[in-house]
Amino acid sequence: MNKKIKFALLFTMIFAFFGVKLNAQLQSGSLVDGIAVVVGNEIILESDIEDQANYAKQQGAQVSDKCEFVESIINNKLLIYEAKRDTLIENRSEAIKETANQKYNQILGQFPDEKTMLSTYKFRTSYEMKNAIEKIDTDNYYGQMKYGRITDKADVTPNEVTDFFNTYKSQLPEVKDEVTLSQIIMYPKLTDAHKDEIIAKLNKIKQDILAGESFENQARIYSEDPGSAANGGLYKNISKGKMVKPFEAAALNLQEGEISDPVESEFGYHLIQLVKKSGKNYDARHILLKAEPNDAEIATAKKELDSIRTLILNGRLTFKEAAYRFSDDKKTKFNAGILTSEDGSDRIEKLNLAPTVSYQIAGLNKNDITDVFQDTIQQDKKVVSIVKVDDIIASHQLDITTDYDRIKQMALNKKKNEMVEKWVKEKLPDVFISINNRYKDCAFKTDWRKSEAK
């Protein structure tokens, strides 16, 4: 494949790496580590290159040319360096630090104890791991923001899409078997008795706190929020609009140190304590009890959704109308229930479907609708669903007549990365870059070494 196309893929891959890679941080003093490249005041270690190459291979990418791969990393690090100097890019250090702490606590919630987690991820201390998460998130944020600033005006005309296709059609990948699907998701409703039971438990916890128990300790014991329970329920530096409306409204109506009555949100029921209010931001602790439906409540929801399915099958209601009127999934209810893939396309590779959905549509034909089934979505929320098979697309070579939107996106990505390449060459004379001599034989497309003498 043409190098410019591969370059576009590498940018995407490296951003993905920064978003998910946690366990490849080497301990300080590792003999295999060392400085590979310096870009301004940003350092690329040998371990960074090896870790990213391994991750890329795990994702199915070819990394046969290490020099080319290293160059893509240098490009990315230059974006990060310049983004930190760009006054139009907001400094989000505090928010990133807080998010890193939340991610740390979420990961901790998946392990029996902190020692096991640190051992699994090969960190010696919680401080080391939190710093690694913060660095990854910081690089991810600045790299993406600068990339976006450089390419925000990029666009392609229909003629450019056609030219791109004609030039690269023999190199375009084959699309695997795909489907387009629509869904209706319903959240089982809790009975009043069940709600009263949860509220009573929270009221008892509140009374214990007022009687002398620590809110922080009670959150560690009872809260079902994986993002804050291990931290005593604490969220720091919360900006207005970040939390769901019922939570925020209750928190901002409290005095510092005051505790709310139970507050209902889409996540369950909360006790909230306002810790500190400073300008537009605030710190708050909470104890969350999830509104988890029981078997009887799930059965009631299944029955209700099955009656809606019958109306659709009898032609009294279209799937689109039913999704708009009855679906509880905010992402799809206003879009006829249509599911989309990560790239925004309504075509989804069968291999990428959630296992439950894949099982339910097995053997169905176009326009068939599944029976009602129980599923689990984000944050282990129990739901009931039906899925309609809108289309089935057999594997095929990408073609402009059937895959125009995808080919347009590929052409746009190519143009964006050409813009970045041009920006890099223009910026290069003003940035100190030093590359270890072990890469002296690399035939880089950009002459990075001309700035080493600065």
Side-chain angles (χ1 to χ4, degrees), residues 128-247:
E128 261 190 7
M129 184 167 173
K130 287 178 181 179
N131 272 0
I133 297 171
E134 184 179 347
K135 179 181 183 299
I136 289 166
D137 286 354
T138 298
D139 281 354
N140 187 39
Y141 167 72
Y142 281 112
Q144 289 190 17
M145 290 299 292
K146 193 62 183 179
Y147 186 88
R149 288 256 297 139
I150 296 167
T151 63
D152 65 340
K153 290 184 170 62
D155 197 7
V156 285
T157 65
N159 285 340
E160 287 176 312
V161 177
T162 301
D163 289 344
F164 174 88
F165 174 72
N166 290 333
T167 302
Y168 300 108
K169 61 182 175 183
S170 63
Q171 304 171 48
L172 296 180
E174 182 180 279
V175 178
K176 297 176 182 177
D177 289 339
E178 297 178 315
V179 288
T180 59
L181 305 174
S182 301
Q183 69 177 7
I184 296 174
I185 288 178
M186 293 182 67
Y187 301 156
K189 296 178 178 63
L190 272 61
T191 63
D192 290 341
H194 192 175
K195 291 179 182 178
D196 290 343
E197 182 183 330
I198 297 171
I199 292 170
K201 184 175 180 180
L202 279 176
N203 280 327
K204 174 63 169 59
I205 294 171
K206 180 178 179 179
Q207 290 306 313
D208 290 343
I209 295 170
L210 294 176
E213 293 286 350
S214 161
F215 193 107
E216 183 176 351
N217 288 339
Q218 295 297 87
R220 287 196 174 100
I221 295 169
Y222 294 109
S223 183
E224 296 173 345
D225 175 17
S228 68
N231 199 33
L234 180 63
Y235 283 106
K236 296 184 67 177
N237 201 36
I238 307 169
S239 57
K240 290 184 179 180
K242 181 178 179 181
M243 308 299 276
V244 290
K245 289 182 179 179
F247 183 103

Side-chain angles (χ1 to χ4, degrees), residues 113-139:
D113 54 58
E114 192 170 48
K115 184 178 179 181
T116 303
M117 177 189 70
L118 294 173
S119 175
T120 300
Y121 283 100
K122 305 188 188 306
F123 288 97
R124 292 171 297 185
T125 66
S126 61
Y127 178 79
E128 261 190 7
M129 184 167 173
K130 287 178 181 179
N131 272 0
I133 297 171
E134 184 179 347
K135 179 181 183 299
I136 289 166
D137 286 354
T138 298
D139 281 354

Side-chain angles (χ1 to χ4, degrees), residues 4 78 420-429 445-446 450:
K4 291 188 186 298
L78 180 57
V420 172
E421 284 184 326
K422 180 182 178 184
W423 174 86
V424 165
K425 289 175 181 176
E426 292 173 350
K427 188 61 61 176
L428 189 57
K445 289 185 294 181
T446 299
K450 71 181 182 182

Side-chain angles (χ1 to χ4, degrees), residues 243-376:
M243 308 299 276
V244 290
K245 289 182 179 179
F247 183 103
E248 183 171 284
L252 294 178
N253 278 325
L254 296 171
Q255 299 298 315
E256 290 186 2
E258 188 181 2
I259 301 172
S260 72
D261 290 329
V263 175
E264 183 180 5
S265 80
E266 61 194 76
F267 298 103
Y269 291 83
H270 313 253
L271 277 185
I272 304 167
Q273 182 184 50
L274 181 65
V275 177
K276 182 179 69 173
K277 189 186 297 183
S278 177
K280 294 182 178 180
N281 295 346
Y282 61 99
D283 297 349
R285 296 186 187 275
H286 83 136
I287 297 170
L288 170 70
L289 296 184
K290 294 180 179 179
E292 193 81 14
N294 57 36
D295 291 344
E297 291 159 343
I298 291 171
T300 299
K302 282 184 174 180
K303 185 176 180 181
E304 181 181 355
L305 186 52
D306 188 59
S307 66
I308 294 168
R309 178 179 181 272
T310 300
L311 291 174
I312 297 169
L313 293 176
N314 291 341
R316 298 175 60 187
L317 199 63
T318 67
F319 200 95
K320 178 180 179 179
E321 291 168 340
Y324 179 76
R325 290 176 57 184
F326 301 109
S327 183
D328 290 319
D329 180 29
K330 295 177 182 178
K331 293 180 180 178
T332 60
K333 72 174 296 173
F334 302 109
N335 189 35
I338 297 172
L339 288 166
T340 56
S341 60
E342 289 183 2
D343 64 1
S345 169
D346 62 352
R347 295 184 178 185
I348 305 172
E349 283 190 11
K350 284 187 175 182
L351 292 175
N352 292 335
L353 290 172
T356 305
V357 174
S358 181
Y359 174 80
Q360 291 294 330
I361 69 167
L364 297 188
N365 298 312
K366 184 176 179 178
N367 294 321
D368 286 349
I369 300 175
T370 66
D371 292 329
V372 178
F373 62 95
Q374 183 179 333
D375 201 358
T376 302

